[in-house]
């Protein structure tokens, strides 16, 4: 599906982005367990390309990576802390650089007269209410239940999964 991006077409369908999302989540898990700059750069480039595929996918992935970055900042004693800081720094640099062309296209799209009306129709306009309070409540319940089931002793092993659950609450609410 990367050839679709290369030819300048942008397909707004989650089916096109699902393999990319799953691949990036696997790479984030690998990066969390074994932080290496090369893995971080590859993951970052793919995260940057995800901006050109589907809005909800890339916002979800960036939120997961952001939550993992916050988890790194909050860690006090960890043998991998220094490697994670370097790797996630490389991840964000590669992500922003590879996403820049797509972000510039989005900024340019904001000047189109039909943008506002289109944004309202696809639900991209910020509101003061949750889109679905019931769905948000269920997602919060799922995240809290998973956190309770994992327990404090094993949360580091499941950090990427927890970041995904909380990202669901943040992005899709």
């Amino acid at each position: 599906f990367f050839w679709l991006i290369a030819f300048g077409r942008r397909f707004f369908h989650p089916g096109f982005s699902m393999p990319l999302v799953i691949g990036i989540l696997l790479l984030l898990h690998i990066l969390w367990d074994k932080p290496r700059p090369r893995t971080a750069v590859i993951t970052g480039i793919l995260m940057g390309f995800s901006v050109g595929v589907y809005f909800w996918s890339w916002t979800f992935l960036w939120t997961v990576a952001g939550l993992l970055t916050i988890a790194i900042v909050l860690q006090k004693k960890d043998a991998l802390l220094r490697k994670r800081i370097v790797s996630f720094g490389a991840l964000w640099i590669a992500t922003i650089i590879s996403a820049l062309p797509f972000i510039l296209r989005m900024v340019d799209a904001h000047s189109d007269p039909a943008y506002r009306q289109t944004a309202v129709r696809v639900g991209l306009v910020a509101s003061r209410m949750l889109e679905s309070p019931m769905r948000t409540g269920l997602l919060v319940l799922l995240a809290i239940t998973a956190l309770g089931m994992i327990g404090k002793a094993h949360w580091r092993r499941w950090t990427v999964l927890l970041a995904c659950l909380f990202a669901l609450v943040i992005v899709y609410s």
Side-chain angles (χ1 to χ4, degrees):
F1 51 82
F2 287 116
W3 65 272
L4 298 173
I5 298 169
F7 290 111
R9 305 218 189 280
R10 187 170 177 184
F11 294 89
F12 296 99
H13 192 279
F16 285 110
S17 68
M18 187 56 69
L20 181 65
V21 170
I22 291 170
I24 292 171
L25 289 175
L26 287 172
L27 285 170
L28 283 171
H29 181 69
I30 292 167
L31 185 62
W32 184 261
D33 285 342
K34 298 175 186 171
R36 293 189 179 114
R38 183 174 49 156
T39 307
V41 170
I42 292 168
T43 307
I45 290 170
L46 290 174
M47 280 180 54
F49 286 159
S50 71
V51 175
V53 180
Y54 188 64
F55 177 80
W56 299 111
S57 296
W58 75 264
T59 53
F60 173 74
L61 291 168
W62 284 37
T63 304
V64 170
L67 291 171
L68 292 174
T69 305
I70 291 170
I72 291 169
V73 171
L74 296 177
Q75 287 180 349
K76 294 181 180 158
K77 295 179 182 177
D78 190 1
L80 297 174
L81 182 61
R82 183 174 216 95
K83 288 182 178 182
R84 283 183 180 148
I85 291 171
V86 170
S87 293
F88 273 78
L91 170 91
W92 284 112
I93 291 169
T95 299
I96 291 169
I97 290 172
S98 61
L100 205 54
F102 303 109
I103 291 171
L104 292 174
R105 282 177 42 189
M106 278 191 263
V107 169
D108 188 45
H110 278 281
S111 63
D112 190 289
Y115 175 80
R116 178 96 173 123
Q117 187 177 34
T118 304
V120 169
R121 292 184 108 179
V122 297
L124 297 179
V125 176
S127 68
R128 296 180 189 178
M129 292 294 296
L130 297 172
E131 182 182 336
S132 170
M134 181 61 82
R135 182 179 63 196
T136 300
L138 289 173
L139 287 173
V140 169
L141 182 65
L142 174 69
I144 291 172
T145 303
L147 190 60
M149 289 175 66
I150 290 170
K152 191 174 183 180
H154 301 289
W155 76 270
R156 288 185 183 174
R157 181 177 176 193
W158 299 99
T159 305
V160 176
L161 175 64
L162 291 172
C164 288
L165 289 173
F166 285 104
L168 281 173
V169 175
I170 293 167
V171 173
Y172 296 114
S173 295

